[in-house]
Amino acid sequence: MTSQVRGVQLARLLGQWHALPGRRRSPDYAALAAAVRGLLADGRLPLGVRLPAERELAEALRISRTTVTAAYRQLRETGHLASRRGAGSWTMLPGTHRVASTGLWTPLDDRDMLDLGVAALGAPPELVPVARAAVEDLPRYLSGAGYHPTGIIELREAVARTYTARGLPTSAEQIMVTNGIQHALDLVLRLALVPGGNVLVESPTYPNALAALAARRARITTHGLAVDGIGWDADLLLGSVRQTRPKLAYLIPEFHNPTGHLMAAELRERLVATAHAAGTDLVVDESFVDLPLDDTPLPPPMAVFDRHSRVISIGGMSKPFWGGLRIGWVRASAPQVQRLAAARVGVDMASPVLDQLVAVHLLAQAPAIVAARRAQLVTQRDALLAALAERLPDWRFDVPRGGVTLWVELDGPISSALARAAEEVGVRLAPGPRFGLDGTLERFLRLPFTLPAADLVEAVGRLAAIRYDLDRGAGRPRWREPAVIA
């Protein structure tokens, strides 16, 4: 059944869709059509959704129905909207694009794009010899069926050792291997959250986590993070848990995505105690825990303070090693792991054995590999910071002490418009509203520093030219869709 978005909902998502101040204005219908395409581009408006009737949207936006009619007509002409008399209009995929593995769209001719929408590094040079070693280990598993719902014991033991080394004693029975961190989150939500359950998340937060929660029809409550300083206001965060008493809270305490903030140990301890009193389970995303920069010391894992099985930790290989290696994990109590395994059997049975063996070998070499990754990220981060200071000095940000992303406050609510314009000069962006709800965060932009330094400097130069053109009144560029935000 096709879902439907109401007029007031679409109006909130569209936010400030008119042409920017100081810019030569295009017709309102063209600006509206471009804004709808922008929502489709970054996943805020999915495929197959029925849009509100023309009159309903016109009333919600307080514009003429003629403007909406013309915008819908343009969307049909560009292949983004299909209409049938008496049935309405619904979003669709243009023939010049394909659906990427993330569910977002990518043009067929995007090979030369400087992609700042993906916050992930390429594979380390050790991957190929490690893969060969894993193949040599494979024969001892071939006599069995190959299904290991909680993961092969070697990998579970290796992951457990990483937690123990961080000060959190962990056994293999407390680890479940998954097909990446997103899969881990999905399984936890299947087990712990009934449809319509209340969930507390940070704002901004990881877009694919919001997508997973939307799939569970969760009622989402947000806790805002400050742009400057430590990010979390302790009193506001703990007060939100006490007042809303959510079933779950999804948090990224280590080098938060997208802001790069690091949660202090004292707040972690207070948060776990508050969650227990409120009956809230904490889902802690540790995607970036292996990537502190500038010798930043790490606080203890949040689960160190857990005495009542309220903390479920998820992590994986994507950020410190390679996103193409789809290995993640859940760290929870042994009974919770068994319940997750039982729920998993109805979804995908088990993770590939060969990939798990590759992960075992990578974790054995992790100190050297991750140290090189950190040095690479520091160089690239500093190149990005220097380029922004030189070319876009009005943009504000805190220097992240870890992770792979910079959360930038722009000099106006232009994030979506900038992302659309940047496509035309070969730069793909993840606009701020992608990381929040209902069209907020238009003053913000996430910039990862995972590309080579020269590419980052070039991308900033192109963005500076586009930002200048937006104020100078350059014509509206032809719109294209970004592909992946990871």
Side-chain angles (χ1 to χ4, degrees):
M1 180 180 297
T2 301
S3 60
Q4 181 174 2
V5 59
R6 307 302 306 176
V8 291
Q9 295 173 309
L10 184 54
R12 285 198 301 269
L13 288 172
L14 287 167
Q16 299 186 29
W17 58 272
H18 290 90
L20 294 172
R23 201 177 163 194
R24 189 176 72 231
R25 291 182 64 88
S26 57
D28 278 351
Y29 75 86
L32 177 58
V36 171
R37 289 193 295 261
L39 295 178
L40 290 166
D42 58 28
R44 284 178 276 163
L45 193 61
L47 289 173
V49 170
R50 190 167 68 183
L51 296 187
E54 295 170 1
R55 184 184 301 277
E56 180 185 351
L57 183 57
E59 292 175 353
L61 294 176
R62 298 182 180 179
I63 59 177
S64 72
R65 182 177 176 180
T66 302
T67 299
V68 177
T69 299
Y72 277 19
R73 181 172 62 248
Q74 187 177 95
L75 290 168
R76 286 192 292 270
E77 291 171 352
T78 57
H80 298 91
L81 198 64
S83 301
R84 190 168 65 245
R85 186 178 296 276
S89 301
W90 56 94
T91 57
M92 60 181 295
L93 178 70
T96 56
H97 293 73
R98 60 183 173 84
V99 177
S101 59
T102 58
L104 301 181
W105 304 2
T106 180
L108 299 176
D109 58 347
D110 66 346
R111 288 174 294 179
D112 297 327
M113 190 73 65
L114 293 175
D115 195 344
L116 297 180
V118 177
L121 293 163
E126 294 87 350
L127 183 60
V128 172
V130 158
R132 292 195 182 105
V135 170
E136 295 177 0
D137 290 342
L138 186 60
R140 67 174 181 268
Y141 283 92
L142 298 181
S143 60
Y147 299 125
H148 303 269
T150 57
I152 63 174
I153 187 62
E154 292 172 84
L155 181 54
R156 294 165 63 202
E157 288 176 343
V159 174
R161 285 194 293 271
T162 68
Y163 280 101
T164 300
R166 292 170 56 200
L168 178 62
T170 302
S171 66
E173 288 71 27
Q174 293 175 271
I175 301 297
M176 175 178 176
V177 178
T178 64
N179 296 323
I181 303 173
Q182 187 71 13
H183 182 222
L185 176 60
D186 181 74
L187 288 173
V188 170
L189 295 180
R190 287 173 182 268
L191 178 69
L193 186 67
V194 298
N198 190 18
V199 178
L200 177 68
V201 303
E202 298 139 331
S203 180
T205 191
Y206 180 46
N208 291 341
L210 292 175
L213 292 169
R216 296 296 298 170
R217 302 198 303 276
R219 292 184 294 112
I220 301 175
T221 302
T222 59
H223 164 71
L225 267 68
V227 179
D228 301 318
I230 62 172
W232 294 268
D233 183 305
D235 292 337
L236 288 178
L237 175 57
L238 301 179
S240 295
V241 174
R242 295 187 189 102
Q243 292 169 17
T244 63
R245 305 180 70 87
K247 173 58 180 171
L248 289 179
Y250 169 79
L251 304 163
I252 312 174
E254 283 93 13
F255 311 117
H256 174 265
N257 184 7
T259 67
H261 290 312
L262 178 64
M263 185 181 289
E266 180 186 4
L267 179 54
R268 295 171 187 236
E269 184 173 11
R270 294 175 63 192
L271 180 56
V272 172
T274 302
H276 172 61
T280 299
D281 292 327
L282 301 178
V283 181
V284 178
D285 188 335
E286 299 181 320
S287 297
F288 299 95
V289 71
D290 295 306
L291 298 175
L293 307 178
D294 304 323
D295 298 320
T296 297
L298 281 176
M302 195 172 294
V304 164
F305 306 106
D306 183 27
R307 300 292 182 269
H308 306 281
S309 299
R310 285 290 183 189
V311 177
I312 300 174
S313 304
I314 59 177
M317 309 289 289
S318 298
K319 302 306 180 183
F321 296 98
W322 186 45
L325 184 64
R326 302 311 300 153
I327 293 294
W329 50 77
V330 179
R331 190 237 179 239
S333 68
Q336 286 173 318
V337 165
Q338 291 305 313
R339 290 197 295 272
L340 283 168
R344 181 198 190 147
V345 169
V347 179
D348 72 338
M349 302 295 289
S351 298
V353 171
L354 182 57
D355 287 19
Q356 294 183 71
L357 290 171
V358 171
V360 170
H361 284 273
L362 283 174
L363 288 175
Q365 300 183 35
I369 295 174
V370 174
R373 305 295 256 183
R374 292 173 182 165
Q376 175 187 355
L377 287 169
V378 168
T379 299
Q380 293 169 185
R381 180 200 63 185
D382 292 348
L384 176 61
L385 297 178
L388 288 171
E390 178 183 357
R391 301 300 303 275
L392 291 160
D394 292 334
W395 290 10
R396 299 176 57 239
F397 49 81
D398 273 357
V399 178
R401 293 182 292 163
V404 301
T405 63
L406 187 67
W407 185 239
V408 179
E409 183 177 4
L410 307 176
D411 54 343
I414 60 169
S415 186
S416 293
L418 187 70
R420 292 194 294 269
E423 286 277 324
E424 288 308 309
V425 294
V427 179
R428 177 167 296 136
L429 299 175
R434 183 74 176 93
F435 300 85
L437 300 174
D438 291 340
T440 59
L441 303 175
E442 274 289 1
R443 291 188 65 93
F444 296 92
L445 182 69
R446 189 190 74 172
L447 294 178
F449 38 91
T450 49
L451 293 182
D455 288 347
L456 293 171
V457 173
E458 174 65 22
V460 171
R462 297 182 193 181
L463 292 180
I466 286 296
R467 181 66 189 99
Y468 179 74
D469 286 344
L470 288 179
D471 282 341
R472 290 279 294 176
R476 181 178 296 277
R478 180 175 56 85
W479 175 87
R480 293 172 60 190
E481 298 92 341
V484 178
I485 297 178

